[in-house]
């Protein structure tokens, strides 16, 4: 399906580069706290993991 996805994907990427603005939908991430060690009641014992949309990851590499 790459040949079907490529034209709209390229259009969106080019539009982002031309306007120098990224849509708000691509700026949101799902943040999940992952427990590291020791006392689970202390917030500093958690590491935050951000899961970004795949499109955002591709755009980040292009930039």
């Amino acid at each position: 399906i790459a040949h079907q996805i490529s034209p709209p994907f390229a259009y969106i990427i080019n539009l982002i580069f031309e306007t120098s603005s990224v849509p708000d939908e691509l700026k949101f991430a799902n943040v999940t706290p992952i427990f590291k060690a020791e006392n689970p009641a202390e917030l500093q014992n958690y590491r935050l993991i951000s899961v970004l949309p795949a499109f955002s990851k591709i755009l980040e590499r292009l930039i």
Side-chain angles (χ1 to χ4, degrees):
I1 64 168
H3 64 281
Q4 295 173 333
I5 294 174
S6 296
F9 185 72
Y11 174 77
I12 293 170
I13 294 293
N14 288 330
L15 191 60
I16 288 172
F17 285 138
E18 288 173 11
T19 62
S20 299
S21 66
V22 179
D24 289 336
E25 292 81 12
L26 298 179
K27 297 178 185 178
F28 290 103
N30 291 330
V31 179
T32 305
I34 303 294
F35 179 66
K36 293 190 294 187
E38 298 179 23
N39 186 0
E42 295 181 21
L43 293 179
Q44 64 265 21
N45 290 332
Y46 287 87
R47 181 179 63 218
L48 298 178
I49 303 295
S50 299
V51 179
L52 297 170
F55 188 82
S56 295
K57 301 289 274 185
I58 295 169
L59 179 61
E60 180 181 358
R61 288 198 180 249
L62 290 173
I63 291 174

